[in-house]
Amino acid sequence: MGKPSDLVGHPAPPLELPSIPDGQPFKLPIGEKPIAMFFFPTAGSTGCTMEACAFRDAQVENVTFKRHPDLCVVGISGDPTAKQASFADQHNLKYPILSDADGAARKAYGVGKAFFGMAEGRETFFIDAKGIVRGVYVKNLGFHAHVDFVEKQLLATEGTG
């Protein structure tokens, strides 16, 4: 479901985090291209694998995603980059996966906890090519719904060309 967020309609906070495969810093291309940024609890869990693979598959199979080859899909979890790299290799994930070990990115984007505070939340942010947060989607068990949310955001941008 869409989440009320103070960020919607405002510039996305800048973000630079260690990325797979070797921990080199990755700077989010805010204001350069549209971004689908999804926070997930932990690399390798069943739900996170389903969500990550849904984004992978959408880039290849989804007509709307294919019309937006400049879309930057980025996954973020608190896992160390070594664990994330293994996860990405195992599932052939080609997009950046960033390590938010200290939780600074979750804090900057207001990503909460799930399941009564027992797990990190699963949230997806859509940032347009101008660097404005256009929407936030929160659903901890609807793994494929995050891709649907991004697709709807991309369709909305087509009308504003």
Side-chain angles (χ1 to χ4, degrees):
M1 68 176 50
K3 170 186 169 182
S5 171
D6 292 340
L7 292 176
V8 174
H10 296 283
L15 191 60
E16 187 170 334
L17 292 170
S19 180
I20 63 170
D22 56 7
Q24 290 296 312
F26 178 88
K27 184 177 180 182
L28 209 61
I30 296 170
E32 298 172 26
K33 55 180 72 176
I35 301 166
M37 178 175 64
F38 68 100
F39 288 86
F40 61 100
T42 186
S45 68
T46 301
C48 296
T49 300
M50 290 172 66
E51 180 181 24
C53 290
F55 275 106
R56 175 202 65 202
D57 295 345
Q59 290 182 296
V60 176
E61 300 167 1
N62 182 296
V63 173
T64 304
F65 275 66
K66 287 168 72 173
R67 280 197 310 265
H68 296 272
D70 59 335
L71 175 68
C72 180
V73 173
V74 178
I76 301 175
S77 76
D79 299 304
T81 54
K83 180 178 180 184
Q84 291 173 331
S86 175
F87 172 64
D89 288 346
Q90 183 179 3
H91 298 287
N92 198 30
L93 306 176
K94 301 295 186 194
Y95 51 80
I97 299 179
L98 312 181
S99 176
D100 184 28
D102 65 2
R106 282 182 177 274
K107 184 175 181 181
Y109 279 83
V111 178
K113 295 277 191 176
F115 305 114
F116 308 104
M118 296 173 50
E120 297 295 343
R122 181 183 314 280
E123 299 188 18
T124 298
F125 291 77
F126 183 80
I127 303 166
D128 70 14
K130 295 177 183 172
I132 306 299
V133 176
R134 292 295 169 198
V136 182
Y137 188 79
V138 180
K139 189 161 187 172
N140 290 302
L141 294 175
F143 316 115
H144 294 280
H146 291 261
V147 169
D148 296 339
F149 162 75
V150 172
E151 179 179 21
K152 288 175 186 165
Q153 294 291 316
L154 289 169
L155 288 169
T157 67
E158 291 176 359
T160 62

